[in-house]
C-alpha cells in the first residue's frame, strides 16, 4: 500500500498552503466581523437598540452555524479545494455588494447570504490541514490558520471602524471588500490540490450516522461545548465593549474604540505559540491554562478604568485564540472517523455560541449595562473553565494521528 503524500515543513507546497490558508482565514474573519465596530453606528442610523443592531453579526453567524453541517457533506462530495474556492469567491462578491444595501432589511439579507457562503471555508479548512499536513507540521499550520483568523478579525474591525468614523460606513465596507476580494484571488491561485481526501458520496442517512458517531467519543462533546462557551463569551465581550466605551465617563470616538482591536495581533501570536506548546506538553495540560487566562481578562473589564479595560480585552484575546487553536487541533486529532463532520459540529457550536450569546448579551446590556454583559460573558467563561477541568482527565487516544477508515455501512 502506497503511503499517503503529506505536505512537509519547508517544502514549496508547505509555503503555498500556509500562505493560502492564512489569507483564507484573514478574508473569512475580516468579512465576518467587519460589522462589529459598526453596531453602534447601525443602531443610531437605523433607529435600533443594541440587541437589534447585533443582528448584523448574529444573523451571519447563525446561518453560518447551520450551513457548516451541510458544508462538510458537500465537501465530501465535491472535494475540499472546490468548495473552498467557490466559498471564498462568492463571499468576496457579496462583500462588495454590502455597501450598496439601501436599507436595514437588505443589509441583513446580504449578511445572511454571507453566512451561507462563508460556511464552505471554515468547515473544510481544518479538515484539509489535518488530512494533508505532515503530523510534525500540523500544529504549526493549524496555529497559523487560527492566527490568520485573529489578523482578519482585527483588520476587519479596525479598517471598517476607523474608516467609518471619517468616511462613513458604506465607503469603509467598500474599501475592505476590495481588499478581501484581492486576498480571495491569491488563495485560489496558491491553494494546493489535496492528495489524501477521497470524495465520499454520503447519503443523508450516512451523514446523520457520522454526526451521531462523534458524540460517542469521550472528549469530542466537551470540546464542542467549549467552542460554544468560549466563542459566546468572547463575541459578547467585544460586541458591547464599543457601546460601553462610547458612553461617559469614557466617551471614546469610533476611531479610538476600533483601534483597541489591535490587540488581536496578540491573539495571532498566542495561537501559534500555544499550538506548538500543546504539541510538546499535551493539549489537556495546556488548554485549561489558556481558558483561565481568558477568564482573567474577561473579569478585568469590570474595573471602570480605560487602561484596565483595554488590558482585560488584550488578556482575554490572548487566552481565547490560544484555547481555540488548541481545541481545533484536538478535535481533528480525536475524530478518527468522520473528521469533516466533527470539524463541522465544532464550528456549528462555535458560531451558535456567537449568535445566541452575542445577541443575548445585547439585551442584557440594554437591561443592566455592563453587569448584564458580565452575566452572559462571565458566566460562559466560568462554564468553559469547568469544561476545561473535565478535559484534563481525558485519556489520550491509543492510535496514530491519521484518519481511520469509516465503519462498515458508511
Amino acid at each position: 500500500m502506497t503511503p499517503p503524500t503529506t505536505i512537509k515543513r519547508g517544502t514549496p507546497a508547505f509555503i503555498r498552503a500556509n500562505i493560502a490558508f492564512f489569507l483564507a482565514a484573514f478574508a473569512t474573519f475580516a468579512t465576518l466581523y467587519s460589522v462589529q465596530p459598526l453596531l453602534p453606528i447601525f443602531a443610531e442610523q437605523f433607529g435600533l437598540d443594541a440587541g437589534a443592531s447585533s443582528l448584523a453579526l448574529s444573523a451571519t453567524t447563525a446561518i453560518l452555524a447551520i450551513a457548516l453541517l451541510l458544508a462538510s457533506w458537500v465537501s465530501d462530495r465535491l472535494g475540499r479545494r472546490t468548495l473552498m474556492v467557490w466559498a471564498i469567491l462568492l463571499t468576496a462578491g457579496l462583500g462588495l455588494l454590502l455597501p450598496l444595501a439601501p436599507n436595514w432589511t437588505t443589509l441583513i439579507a446580504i449578511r445572511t447570504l454571507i453566512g451561507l457562503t462563508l460556511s464552505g471555508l471554515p468547515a473544510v479548512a481544518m479538515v484539509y490541514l489535518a488530512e494533508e499536513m505532515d503530523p510534525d507540521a500540523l500544529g504549526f499550520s493549524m496555529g497559523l490558520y487560527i492566527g490568520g483568523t485573529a489578523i482578519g478579525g482585527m483588520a476587519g474591525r479596525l479598517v471598517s471602524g476607523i474608516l467609518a468614523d471619517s468616511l462613513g460606513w458604506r465607503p469603509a465596507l467598500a474599501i475592505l471588500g476590495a481588499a478581501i476580494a484581492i486576498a480571495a484571488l491569491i488563495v485560489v491561485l496558491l491553494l494546493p490540490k489535496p492528495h489524501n481526501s477521497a470524495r465520499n458520496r454520503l447519503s443523508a442517512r450516512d451523514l446523520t450516522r457520522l454526526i451521531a458517531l462523534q458524540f460517542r467519543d469521550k472528549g469530542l462533546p466537551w470540546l464542542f461545548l467549549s467552542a460554544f462557551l468560549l466563542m459566546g463569551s468572547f463575541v459578547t465581550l467585544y460586541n458591547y465593549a464599543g457601546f460601553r466605551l462610547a458612553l461617559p465617563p469614557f466617551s471614546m470616538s469610533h476611531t479610538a474604540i476600533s483601534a483597541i482591536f489591535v490587540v488581536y495581533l496578540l491573539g495571532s501570536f498566542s495561537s501559534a505559540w500555544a499550538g506548538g506548546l500543546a504539541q510538546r506538553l499535551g493539549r489537556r495540560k495546556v488548554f485549561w491554562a489558556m481558558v483561565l487566562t481568558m477568564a482573567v481578562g474577561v473579569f478585568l473589564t469590570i474595573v471602570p478604568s480605560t487602561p484596565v479595560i483595554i488590558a482585560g480585552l488584550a488578556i482575554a484575546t490572548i487566552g481565547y485564540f490560544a484555547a481555540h487553536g488548541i481545541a481545533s487541533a484536538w478535535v481533528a486529532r480525536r475524530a478518527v472517523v468522520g473528521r469533516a463532520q466533527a470539524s463541522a459540529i465544532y464550528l456549528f457550536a462555535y458560531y451558535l455560541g456567537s449568535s445566541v450569546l452575542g445577541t443575548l448579551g445585547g439585551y442584557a446590556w440594554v437591561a443592566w449595562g455592563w453587569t448584564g454583559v458580565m452575566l452572559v460573558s462571565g458566566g460562559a467563561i466560568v462554564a468553559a473553565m469547568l469544561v476545561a477541568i473535565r478535559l484534563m482527565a481525558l485519556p489520550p487516544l491509543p492510535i496514530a494521528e491519521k484518519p481511520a477508515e469509516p465503519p462498515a455501512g458508511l
Side-chain angles (χ1 to χ4, degrees), residues 316-366:
T317 300
I318 290 171
Y320 164 74
F321 279 103
H324 173 45
I326 293 170
S328 299
W330 206 345
V331 168
R333 168 68 177 93
R334 291 197 68 89
V336 294
V337 176
R339 185 170 276 170
Q341 286 71 39
S343 176
I345 298 168
Y346 176 85
L347 291 171
F348 168 80
Y350 179 83
Y351 290 112
L352 188 65
S354 171
S355 181
V356 173
L357 297 185
T359 299
L360 181 61
Y363 291 108
W365 161 258
V366 172

Side-chain angles (χ1 to χ4, degrees), residues 78-211:
L78 297 182
R80 314 284 190 227
R81 190 183 188 280
T82 300
L83 181 60
M84 284 190 285
V85 165
W86 279 107
I88 197 166
L89 290 177
L90 290 173
T91 297
L94 288 169
L96 293 173
L97 290 177
L98 189 62
L100 304 178
N103 51 51
W104 179 246
T105 301
T106 305
L107 188 148
I108 294 300
I110 294 175
R111 288 288 298 176
T112 301
L113 287 174
I114 286 175
L116 182 63
T117 59
L118 270 180
S119 65
L121 247 164
V124 176
M126 291 189 292
V127 180
Y128 178 105
L129 290 172
E131 290 175 339
E132 303 300 323
M133 286 293 174
D134 189 78
D136 290 338
L138 179 60
F140 175 84
S141 296
M142 194 74 78
L144 186 64
Y145 172 76
I146 298 300
T149 70
I151 296 292
M154 179 202 71
R157 294 165 167 104
L158 193 62
V159 172
S160 65
I162 292 176
L163 292 182
D165 212 12
S166 56
L167 302 177
W169 68 269
R170 294 181 189 275
L173 291 181
I175 292 170
L176 183 63
I180 290 169
I182 293 171
L185 292 176
I186 296 173
V187 170
V188 173
L189 291 173
L190 292 183
L191 188 63
K193 181 180 178 180
H195 295 284
N196 302 317
S197 57
R199 296 184 184 182
N200 300 312
R201 296 188 176 276
L202 294 174
S203 66
R205 180 180 178 184
D206 289 340
L207 175 65
T208 302
R209 290 175 63 188
L210 274 176
I211 290 174

